[in-house]
Amino acid sequence: SIITSLSNLDFFLNANGQLVFDVRSGGSAGIFLWSKPAGLTKVAAVGDPSPISGTTFLLLSLSGSFGLPGRAAEFIFSKSGTSYGLGSGSMFTNNPEVFSPLNDTGQIAFLAEIRSGSSGEAAIFLSNPNGTIAKIAAEGDPSPDGNVFFSFGESALNSAGQVSFLGETATTFPLITGPINTGFFIGSANVPPQAVVPITAGFNTYIFSGLSDTGALSLEYFDFFVPQPEFSVVSGTAGGS
């Protein structure tokens, strides 16, 4: 098909001159990679089969959100376990650092909604330079806390191919039951997601600060439920503390 609009997109450039961008409108909706001398190639597009058997891509995003382009909205978590996305420009967003889903080896991390018949679910994927796409985590997959994933947010990718992401878990999916937990996780094409920073119920906001090439994740943390609201920076590694 023909790309009809470049007005609604995210784009990222790596040290090797590769440029990845997403298009979210028209028949050409998808993720595309430009490099020299190969030119423009498709990473994934609406209607393509996903790595999950029997499903096709319905929506794709480099930003961790299916809303407007740009950095994904951060999340506030209420004591009831409900998450609320905060729109661009709110006091908790606009972290000056934007983490590229494209690393220098040409791997690309992205969020997608996939469809099988009339049912759909979200998942995080990793595209490799050889054209293969691997699943990192999907709604309904087992999570490290003994629950299953049912929601995903912002993600980051390092040069080792590790993907860190914000995830919510519950006892069951798609009928969401039981206590809802929220945390940051790190996974790869070969290693299932591991918890980095488990987040207990509370009315807090968390913003990525960085993911190192050794798999150490740091994030900014704002706690509402203390006598004086606190702002701090915490870090952790997969399966660690």
Side-chain angles (χ1 to χ4, degrees), residues 12 42 50 52-53 77 113 155:
F12 301 89
K42 179 184 70 172
S50 93
I52 299 176
S53 178
F77 305 99
E113 183 176 338
S155 63

Side-chain angles (χ1 to χ4, degrees), residues 20 31 61-64 100-103 106-111 124-127 136 155-157 162-164:
V20 65
I31 296 173
S61 171
L62 293 172
S63 69
S100 176
L102 170 68
N103 65 19
Q107 291 178 305
I108 303 163
F110 62 94
L111 176 68
I124 296 174
F125 296 96
L126 180 67
S127 171
I136 302 299
S155 63
L157 173 67
Q162 293 176 306
V163 181
S164 63

Side-chain angles (χ1 to χ4, degrees), residues 51-105:
I52 299 176
S53 178
T55 66
T56 57
F57 291 119
L58 180 65
L59 296 169
L60 302 106
S61 171
L62 293 172
S63 69
S65 160
F66 295 127
L68 293 174
R71 186 174 176 81
E74 314 307 339
F75 290 81
I76 282 184
F77 305 99
S78 71
K79 282 189 169 179
S80 66
T82 304
S83 63
Y84 302 92
L86 298 180
S88 176
S90 67
M91 64 177 291
F92 301 107
T93 60
N94 299 328
N95 187 324
E97 295 198 50
V98 174
F99 301 101
S100 176
L102 170 68
N103 65 19
D104 289 341
T105 69

Side-chain angles (χ1 to χ4, degrees), residues 2 5 8 24 26 53 81 110 137 140 162 184 237:
I2 298 173
S5 173
N8 290 326
R24 306 191 198 176
S53 178
F110 62 94
Q162 293 176 306
F184 284 88
T237 56

